[in-house]
Amino acid sequence: MNSDLPDGYEISTDPARLDAVLIHTWLSEDAYWALGRPREKQDRAIANSLNFGVYDRAFARQVGYARVVTDRATFGWLCDVYIAREARGRGLGTALAAAVRDQVAEFGLRRVLLATADAHEVYARVGFEPLTVPEKWMTLGAQ
C-alpha cells in the first residue's frame, strides 16, 4: 500500500493507530468542509468508516488522514482527506489517494465518489474524473 509514498512515510488502515484528537483538530479547525464539526460526530464518523492514516516514521506521528464510507460491495465515498500543513508539498496527498484507490479496488466497488473544491488535480492523478452526467446525481442536505 505504500509504494507511492516518499521515503520515511507509511500508510495504515489500522484504526488503533489513529490519533482521533489530532484528526478532529485538523478537520474542525482547518478543513473548509468540516469547520466546527463536533468531536463526538467525528468519532462516530471514524468508527463507521474505513480509515487511512499517513505516518511519519522518523517522528512516529500521524501527518495525514482519509476515510471511506462504504458497504465494501458496491459503493464508496472518499471524504475527510487531510494532510497536515507542515507535511504538504511532498506528494503525500496523491499517495494517500492512490492507497485508497488500491484498497477499495479489492472490494470490486462499482463506484467511488468524492467532492472537492480545490484538489481536483490530486485526485485526477490517481484516476478520478469529473461526473460525465452530473444531472443524474442528486443530493439531500447541504451543498
Side-chain angles (χ1 to χ4, degrees), residues 4-141:
D4 296 330
L5 276 169
D7 288 341
Y9 294 93
E10 64 182 325
I11 294 176
S12 172
T13 57
D14 179 358
R17 293 186 67 186
L18 296 172
D19 184 336
V21 172
L22 181 61
I23 292 166
H24 176 255
T25 300
W26 284 338
L27 297 178
S28 68
E29 296 179 9
D30 193 41
Y32 66 83
W33 65 90
L35 293 174
R37 182 181 289 167
R39 171 72 195 274
E40 185 273 336
K41 186 173 287 240
Q42 183 61 51
D43 288 348
R44 275 195 338 237
I46 290 170
N48 291 298
S49 299
L50 171 60
N51 299 280
F52 295 77
V54 182
Y55 302 92
D56 181 328
R57 286 191 207 124
F59 296 102
R61 65 186 174 103
Q62 187 171 351
V63 296
Y65 176 73
R67 67 186 180 92
V68 177
V69 180
T70 183
D71 59 9
R72 298 178 189 226
T74 63
F75 180 78
W77 175 265
L78 173 57
C79 53
D80 288 345
V81 180
Y82 187 90
I83 300 296
R85 288 192 174 271
E86 68 274 9
R88 292 180 187 170
R90 299 179 185 145
L92 296 173
T94 300
L96 178 56
V100 169
R101 176 201 62 209
D102 295 347
Q103 179 74 30
V104 301
E106 296 175 13
F107 304 145
L109 305 179
R110 179 177 176 179
R111 183 173 290 114
V112 178
L113 292 178
L114 65 87
T116 183
D118 60 357
H120 295 82
E121 70 283 347
V122 170
Y123 300 109
R125 287 183 203 125
V126 300
F128 283 88
E129 300 174 343
L131 292 172
T132 55
V133 189
E135 60 272 11
K136 285 176 49 177
W137 296 89
M138 298 180 74
T139 185
L140 177 65

